[in-house]
């Protein structure tokens, strides 16, 4: 049965899933959602994914949302190679790494730190979402609950990224997080020990995003040598090329998104 993935170009959470699909060499069908054109907020998508976010996986008629749930599901269904350790202690360790990543607000960090035109487009898109959702809610009363909680989340997101102090505060949380990684990686090659695991896919996407946001200096030039070596090893994996390096937004989609964000068309 086909694996169908609703995902978005450049989306961190989509990249986590694409990395796992690539590590397992699985065939899958891409259903690209244009976040800049707010396709994730459209009623048909909100019915599939009530939080209106990517990714969403469809497999054997099952709809699975949330990147971590999806990658766990993929590992259960397609255990070659197995990416979740079998040893209970390592599983617990894995959960700890997932928790550490989940409690770090990468979305706010990204939207708050992107510079130049990219930053302007992204921040403006969140402002537009705030105006768009009440209209969508009015036109689709059956989705009132979903849109209400989406709107609450967007308002909070918008407030945070408009507040330079909050973003500066968030930025100060990066180093302690990297220190935890450095301590582990000075002892083991991978985060859960001797073998590459599911959490290494998650941190590939996160470290790559931090690097894109110009925080790579926090591990480069011997600042955190174990983390630097780890990141280079992650980047050298074929999965990195397919899931991240080649993850560019198709031009027509980008133009449609820019038209929507700047001209409202
Ligand atoms: N916890 C969710 C978060 C998903 C998420 O926030 N996705 C982002 C892209 S990385 C998104 O769809 N943003 C659009 C929006 O919230 O409007 C997961 O891991 O799947």
């Amino acid at each position: 049965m086909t694996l169908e993935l609703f995902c978005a170009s450049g989306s961190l959470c989509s990249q986590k899933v694409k990395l796992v699909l690539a590590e397992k060499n699985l065939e899958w069908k891409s259903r690209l959602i244009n976040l800049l054109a707010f396709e994730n907020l459209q009623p048909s998508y909100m019915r599939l994914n009530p939080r209106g976010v990517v990714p969403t996986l469809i497999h054997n008629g099952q709809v699975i949302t949330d990147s971590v749930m999806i990658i766990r599901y993929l590992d259960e269904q397609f255990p070659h190679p197995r990416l979740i350790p079998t040893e209970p202690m390592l599983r617990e360790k894995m959960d700890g790494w997932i928790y550490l990543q989940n409690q770090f607000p990468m979305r706010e960090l990204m939207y708050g730190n992107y510079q130049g035109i990219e930053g302007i487009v992204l921040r403006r898109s969140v402002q537009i979402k705030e105006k768009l959702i009440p209209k969508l809610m009015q036109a689709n009363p059956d989705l009132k609950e979903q849109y209400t909680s989406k709107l609450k989340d967007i308002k909070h997101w918008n407030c945070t990224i408009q507040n330079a102090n909050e973003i500066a505060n968030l930025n100060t949380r990066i180093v302690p997080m990297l220190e935890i990684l450095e301590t582990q990686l000075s002892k083991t090659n991978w985060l859960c020990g001797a073998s590459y695991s599911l959490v290494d896919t998650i941190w590939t996407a996160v470290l790559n995003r931090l690097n894109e946001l110009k925080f790579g200096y926090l591990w480069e030039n011997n600042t955190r040598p174990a983390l630097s070596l780890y990141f280079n090893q992650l980047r050298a994996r074929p999965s990195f090329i397919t899931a991240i390096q080649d993850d560019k937004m198709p031009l027509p989609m980008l133009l449609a998104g820019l038209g929507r964000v700047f001209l409202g068309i």
Side-chain angles (χ1 to χ4, degrees), residues 11-13 35 40 51-55 66-67 129 150 157:
S11 134
L12 177 78
C13 304
L35 296 180
N40 57 314
R51 292 179 58 205
V53 291
V54 285
D66 195 276
S67 56
K129 284 180 216 251
K150 185 78 190 171
W157 181 9

Side-chain angles (χ1 to χ4, degrees), residues 227-245:
L227 185 54
S228 177
L229 178 67
Y230 173 69
F231 185 54
N232 287 337
Q233 278 169 344
L234 295 173
R235 279 205 291 197
R237 295 178 83 84
S239 60
F240 185 89
I241 319 263
T242 21
I244 298 190
Q245 213 156 289

Side-chain angles (χ1 to χ4, degrees), residues 5 9 53 106 115 122 148 157 221 228 230 235 252:
L5 183 71
S9 313
V53 291
M106 277 305 285
Q115 301 294 312
L122 290 175
T148 304
W157 181 9
N221 299 324
S228 177
Y230 173 69
R235 279 205 291 197

Side-chain angles (χ1 to χ4, degrees), residues 153-166:
D153 176 50
I154 301 269
K155 282 191 170 164
H156 184 254
W157 181 9
N158 214 356
C159 265
T160 311
I161 61 179
Q162 304 296 336
N163 184 331
N165 285 339
E166 279 213 46

Side-chain angles (χ1 to χ4, degrees), residues 12 23 36 53 56 69 76 80 82 137 165 203 217:
L12 177 78
E23 286 289 337
L36 287 180
V53 291
T56 302
M69 299 287 280
E76 267 165 33
H80 305 293
R82 194 170 271 294
M137 182 154 39
N165 285 339
W203 285 91
Y217 75 93

Side-chain angles (χ1 to χ4, degrees), residues 191-210:
L191 288 175
C192 276
S195 313
Y196 180 91
S197 76
L198 212 61
V199 284
D200 298 303
T201 62
I202 293 178
W203 285 91
T204 304
V206 174
L207 291 173
N208 177 65
R209 189 50 53 97
L210 289 175

